[in-house]
Amino acid sequence: MHSLRPITNRLARLVGGGRKEFLDTAVERWEISPAEKVEIIPGIWLPDQIEHVAQTEFGALSDIVACMLGDPQEPIAATMAYRLRDVDYIDGALYARGAEMHLRDGRHEGRRLSYPRPERSISGAIYESWIGNRWFGNWLLNDCMTYRLAETAGHPVTTAPLRGGHIARYEEVLGMTPERIGDVHFDELVLFDDLHNNASRQARASENRARLLAGRVCKPLPGVFIFRGTSGATRILENEAEIAERLEVEYGFRTLYIDRHSVDEIALAVGGTDLVVGVEGSQLAHGVIAMRAGGALLTIQPPDRVTSALKLLTDCWRQHFAMVVGHGTIGGFRLEWDDLRRTLDLIAARNPQNPS
């Protein structure tokens, strides 16, 4: 048998029904952590950095400036859970009554009119997100925290296949043992609204850091530089190797390479420092999860792709966020050493345990 949910959802929108929010189909909802006001730590950057910005990502320049200003009493929404019934997961999307939610890019996204009904039925709690399936950093720092909710709410499930490398090892050390599913029908499904940096998220961030560092003796380091190179989406810092070397020689940093170092090696190094530096990108999530609260993450950014997205994550992990903007484009940009040095001085002034 086939389900016509995709076409009926589309027809409802065409006749003026609008797009129904997926979580509105829930039969039950409950509050995990209440709304509250939280201190948001101001970001750290040189006074002239705004003049270097040519183009922003994930928000306008005014949004980035507001994010960097911080807020001593920012209203933070509650963490919520939702129970839904009679939900199909097909080819990267969840389908319920009159609504759909995509967890990953599917082959038929936006074009499907119907689908064969899944033969298998289960109940479970999904902790993953579209953004986490797209970017490793969001998986590690967002979805892996929501897993802690899924394991208490019931049976954690994920649409992600078995993977090797860093992901497999993180799942192991964080105690994540989800059931991996393909196309399936959910008799009952629990989902979460868990993107708000309230006390619950901050506590789960601390728990995941503790799990990662448990049993490790981390020797103190002045700083760690996480080398990006050509990994991930294009952001080529042409003098990255030179900067890494100068940080090693002049500040005593250790350089880590994500294609050479394991999760355990990275955690052992980052767990002993209060300063992580690197080109803005998901590889810096290795630094955020292992670095102590109160440390600082310094992101090096091309002027045509400036973002404060990682600050939303360091805010949760109670770390300082800093940025310095180079010259050029994502296809090839350079950072002046003096700009980096002066930014390190600002971080040291804010956080005296860091190098000056």
Side-chain angles (χ1 to χ4, degrees):
M1 294 181 62
H2 270 66
S3 172
L4 298 177
R5 279 178 168 175
I7 193 170
T8 55
N9 292 354
R10 195 177 307 172
L11 288 173
R13 293 195 294 269
L14 289 175
V15 298
R19 181 180 291 275
K20 190 173 183 179
E21 292 295 328
F22 192 80
L23 295 179
D24 288 345
T25 67
V27 298
E28 181 187 359
R29 63 191 65 203
W30 63 95
E31 185 178 87
I32 293 174
S33 183
E36 58 185 301
K37 291 187 177 180
V38 174
E39 179 187 5
I40 303 300
I41 305 170
I44 302 171
W45 58 351
L46 297 169
D48 62 352
Q49 290 299 282
I50 295 178
E51 302 169 9
H52 296 185
V53 178
Q55 188 173 335
T56 60
E57 187 85 359
F58 309 124
L61 180 58
S62 58
D63 298 321
I64 291 174
V65 171
C67 191
M68 293 295 284
L69 287 175
D71 189 334
Q73 287 284 301
E74 180 167 307
I76 302 295
T79 298
M80 300 292 297
Y82 301 82
R83 189 183 312 278
L84 301 90
R85 295 196 176 104
D86 186 22
V87 178
D88 292 329
Y89 172 75
I90 299 288
D91 189 29
L94 294 167
Y95 295 92
R97 297 181 296 276
E100 57 194 66
M101 183 173 76
H102 291 268
L103 293 179
R104 54 181 67 248
D105 294 333
R107 293 169 297 164
H108 304 288
E109 185 174 350
R111 302 190 301 275
R112 184 188 291 279
L113 300 180
S114 67
Y115 56 78
R117 290 186 181 275
E119 296 181 0
R120 182 174 176 235
S121 294
I122 64 170
S123 293
I126 286 181
Y127 58 93
E128 68 186 278
S129 63
W130 184 93
I131 192 171
N133 285 328
R134 172 66 178 81
W135 286 289
F136 166 77
N138 292 96
W139 173 81
L140 181 61
L141 301 180
N142 282 332
D143 293 358
C144 290
M145 279 200 293
T146 305
Y147 180 90
R148 306 268 76 96
L149 301 180
E151 67 183 354
T152 60
H155 178 53
V157 299
T158 180
T159 69
L162 280 171
R163 291 168 285 184
H166 293 137
I167 288 178
R169 180 56 178 155
Y170 273 119
E171 286 185 335
E172 183 179 2
V173 297
L174 295 178
M176 297 170 62
T177 56
E179 179 185 355
R180 302 185 186 276
I181 61 170
D183 293 352
V184 72
H185 174 81
F186 285 97
D187 294 326
E188 286 197 346
L189 170 66
V190 177
L191 295 174
F192 307 93
D193 179 6
D194 186 35
L195 289 176
H196 314 293
N197 291 332
N198 51 39
S200 170
R201 255 176 74 85
Q202 291 178 18
R204 284 178 279 123
S206 296
E207 179 184 351
N208 275 4
R209 177 187 289 119
R211 285 173 178 260
L212 175 62
L213 297 180
R216 305 185 195 277
V217 179
C218 302
K219 297 180 180 179
L221 278 172
V224 166
F225 185 85
I226 300 181
F227 202 93
R228 181 177 178 84
T230 58
S231 64
T234 302
R235 254 158 281 165
I236 306 299
L237 178 60
E238 294 176 340
N239 59 337
E240 186 173 16
E242 174 191 334
I243 286 172
E245 183 178 4
R246 289 194 69 170
L247 286 172
E248 290 175 1
V249 173
E250 299 186 25
Y251 288 89
F253 271 51
R254 181 180 175 189
T255 300
L256 297 175
Y257 300 86
I258 57 174
D259 59 343
R260 306 179 200 172
H261 291 104
S262 68
V263 166
D264 299 274
E265 290 170 323
I266 295 171
L268 197 60
V270 176
T273 190
D274 292 301
L275 181 57
V276 172
V277 181
V279 175
E280 195 278 337
S282 277
Q283 86 283 356
L284 292 182
H286 293 289
V288 176
I289 191 173
M291 183 169 56
R292 292 185 288 263
L297 178 75
L298 172 54
T299 63
I300 301 170
Q301 308 205 27
D304 58 342
R305 193 193 179 281
V306 174
T307 175
S308 57
L310 274 169
K311 188 177 188 300
L312 301 177
L313 300 172
T314 57
D315 286 343
C316 179
W317 297 76
R318 310 309 295 163
Q319 296 158 344
H320 296 281
F321 175 85
M323 75 162 76
V324 59
V325 182
H327 304 274
T329 68
I330 57 173
F333 73 104
R334 299 182 66 82
L335 179 66
E336 297 296 332
W337 174 256
D338 188 61
D339 287 345
L340 180 59
R341 179 191 57 77
R342 290 188 296 128
T343 306
L344 290 172
D345 288 344
L346 283 180
I347 294 171
R350 181 80 62 88
N351 222 15
Q353 68 266 37
N354 287 325
S356 59

